[in-house]
Amino acid sequence: MGGSILGSEAIFAFLKRKIKKKIYFFDDINQEKIFNFKKKINYKDVLFFIISKSGNTIETLSNTLFLKILKKNSKNIIVISEKKNNTLLTLTKKLNLFYIEHKKHIGGRYSVLSEAGLVPAHLMGINVLKLRSNILFLQKKKYKNYLKDSCIKLASLMNSKKLNNLILVNYSPDLEKFLYWCQQLIAESLGKKKMGFLPLISNNPKDHHSLLQLYIDGPRDKIFNIFSLEKKSKEKLKSRKNLKMKNFLNNKDFKSIKGAQQKALIKTFKKHKIPFREFKIKSQNEEVLGKLFSYFMLETVMIGKLLKINPFDQPAVEQVKTYTKNFLT
């Protein structure tokens, strides 16, 4: 759940064209999904990852027990959790399952470039050395200055409490899972002391027809991060020869159509002086994804430090977990 799965989902979605294996993610308590999985899958053909930093995550334990996969000396189960007294580690020792330690100093939402994200990625067939190869790119001066300026501006906006909503405007389906990872990172790290941005994912151009009116003409309480991914598109639209009218879609591919919609949004934002940042992703490979993970983790941590917020804890979430366990006891 949370950071233990969102990072792997982001890797899979962004690099799925390189992955030849079937991957299933259980990121909720969904009885029907588990039932359908059990009905059509032969467990002997599946490698199960059970990941929980605390080793006590209710959803992870519940799904594991509902799947009924725990057997002594099982060779198709890998468990990743902290090496401390917890339910998952106790089960692992009792059943003699393959175990990898989740380092205690790395929080779940920051763990995508550690064992929690890299081991699943490696077994997907992803080159994890490339994924980590450029994660220190922000040490270069030109990137360092941009990061510094962005953190100062965002911290100032957050501290003013005038802009409360961070809209993650997405123009590529391959980025959606990455943005869900961003959503948790930002919300759980910075939503403290009555401060924080509410990060919301807005998939476009679909949301042009439902939310755009609000974005442009509604309350000025939002800041926008606009994401796009450059992809080649070979097929072009052809108007019928007997269409006796000017057709602006003639000889256009999906890339140019979406690109025009994105440019129109940005031009409108500029006209109305709506604050935004644009992230244009030009390559779809391990190195670029590693940079994206690195940038947003570091930016989030630095904003927290500027505002004297601990970006690594989650005290309110822990309270809900405690209440939940009390209700189940």
Side-chain angles (χ1 to χ4, degrees):
M1 301 303 298
S4 294
I5 195 170
L6 288 171
S8 294
E9 285 189 290
I11 292 170
F12 176 75
F14 191 80
L15 300 171
K16 60 190 173 192
R17 286 162 186 79
K18 296 186 176 185
I19 299 170
K20 308 303 180 183
K21 303 172 184 177
K22 289 185 178 180
I23 311 292
Y24 299 87
F25 295 96
F26 293 92
D27 56 358
D28 197 359
I29 293 181
N30 187 326
Q31 185 174 347
E32 185 176 349
K33 184 177 180 180
I34 288 179
F35 175 79
N36 290 334
F37 178 80
K38 291 169 68 174
K39 189 176 179 180
K40 67 179 181 179
I41 297 297
N42 185 343
Y43 280 10
K44 293 181 180 179
D45 300 327
V46 180
L47 173 63
F48 292 93
F49 268 96
I50 307 171
I51 305 177
S52 166
K53 180 178 186 293
S54 69
N56 293 315
T57 306
I58 288 175
E59 296 88 350
T60 304
L61 294 173
S62 298
N63 284 334
T64 301
L65 294 173
F66 277 121
L67 284 167
K68 297 181 180 179
I69 59 175
L70 294 175
K71 294 181 181 179
K72 193 172 182 64
N73 299 318
S74 291
K75 302 301 182 184
N76 65 333
I77 297 176
I78 296 176
V79 177
I80 300 180
S81 75
E82 282 187 338
K83 189 176 284 187
K84 67 177 185 180
N85 184 27
N86 63 64
T87 304
L88 193 53
L89 186 59
T90 300
L91 285 170
T92 300
K93 290 179 178 179
K94 185 176 180 180
L95 298 175
N96 191 32
L97 304 176
F98 190 86
Y99 170 77
I100 298 173
E101 182 183 359
H102 193 308
K103 300 298 187 293
K104 63 181 181 180
H105 62 277
I106 303 176
R109 58 187 179 273
Y110 295 97
S111 66
V112 64
L113 297 175
S114 72
E115 57 278 338
L118 295 181
V119 177
H122 173 68
L123 292 173
M124 288 180 201
I126 298 303
N127 189 324
V128 296
L129 295 179
K130 288 183 178 180
L131 190 63
R132 287 178 55 94
S133 63
N134 290 318
I135 60 176
L136 299 179
F137 77 103
L138 290 163
Q139 291 182 350
K140 296 179 181 179
K141 188 175 181 180
K142 62 178 180 178
Y143 298 120
K144 191 183 295 184
N145 290 337
Y146 174 81
L147 175 65
K148 177 184 174 182
D149 292 342
S150 292
C151 290
I152 292 171
K153 289 176 183 177
L154 288 169
S156 177
L157 288 172
M158 204 171 104
N159 191 46
S160 72
K161 299 183 181 179
K162 292 179 181 179
L163 299 178
N164 302 313
N165 301 294
L166 174 60
I167 311 299
L168 305 175
V169 179
N170 179 33
Y171 281 93
S172 172
D174 292 354
L175 288 171
E176 185 177 16
K177 294 298 184 180
F178 170 76
L179 295 180
Y180 276 115
W181 173 85
C182 280
Q183 183 182 58
Q184 188 216 3
L185 176 73
I186 295 165
E188 205 163 64
S189 299
L190 301 178
K192 294 157 191 173
K193 297 184 177 181
K194 309 301 180 184
M195 289 193 290
F197 293 124
L198 174 61
L200 299 171
I201 297 161
S202 180
N203 288 314
N204 288 279
K206 177 177 68 70
D207 284 354
H208 281 207
H209 301 276
S210 56
L211 297 173
L212 192 54
Q213 173 64 35
L214 174 70
Y215 293 162
I216 296 170
D217 209 23
R220 292 301 179 91
D221 58 355
K222 291 171 280 294
I223 183 172
F224 296 82
N225 282 352
I226 302 173
F227 293 85
S228 62
L229 175 61
E230 289 192 7
K231 297 179 70 173
K232 294 181 180 180
S233 181
K234 295 181 180 179
E235 188 174 355
K236 294 186 178 182
L237 300 173
K238 299 293 183 180
S239 298
R240 294 180 181 179
K241 292 180 180 180
N242 61 353
L243 189 61
K244 296 179 180 179
M245 61 180 290
K246 187 177 181 181
N247 185 359
F248 56 83
L249 292 175
N250 185 48
N251 208 34
K252 300 295 192 304
D253 57 20
F254 280 121
K255 177 183 175 182
S256 60
I257 294 169
K258 268 193 174 183
Q261 291 171 307
Q262 183 182 347
K263 289 177 184 177
L265 176 75
I266 290 173
K267 186 173 182 178
T268 304
F269 277 2
K270 288 180 178 178
K271 180 179 179 180
H272 290 267
K273 298 182 180 179
I274 295 172
F276 72 92
R277 294 190 295 175
E278 184 182 10
F279 295 88
K280 297 174 70 173
I281 300 164
K282 297 184 178 181
S283 300
Q284 197 168 357
N285 55 42
E286 290 94 333
E287 293 92 338
V288 167
L289 184 58
K291 282 184 175 183
L292 286 169
F293 283 134
S294 177
Y295 178 83
F296 282 98
M297 282 192 282
L298 192 53
E299 181 180 80
T300 300
V301 169
M302 290 178 65
I303 291 171
K305 294 298 184 180
L306 286 169
L307 295 174
K308 297 183 179 179
I309 289 173
N310 183 353
F312 302 113
D313 67 356
Q314 49 191 57
V317 175
E318 297 303 327
Q319 183 66 76
V320 173
K321 289 181 180 179
T322 300
Y323 285 156
T324 302
K325 289 177 183 176
N326 290 342
F327 284 126
L328 290 170
T329 301

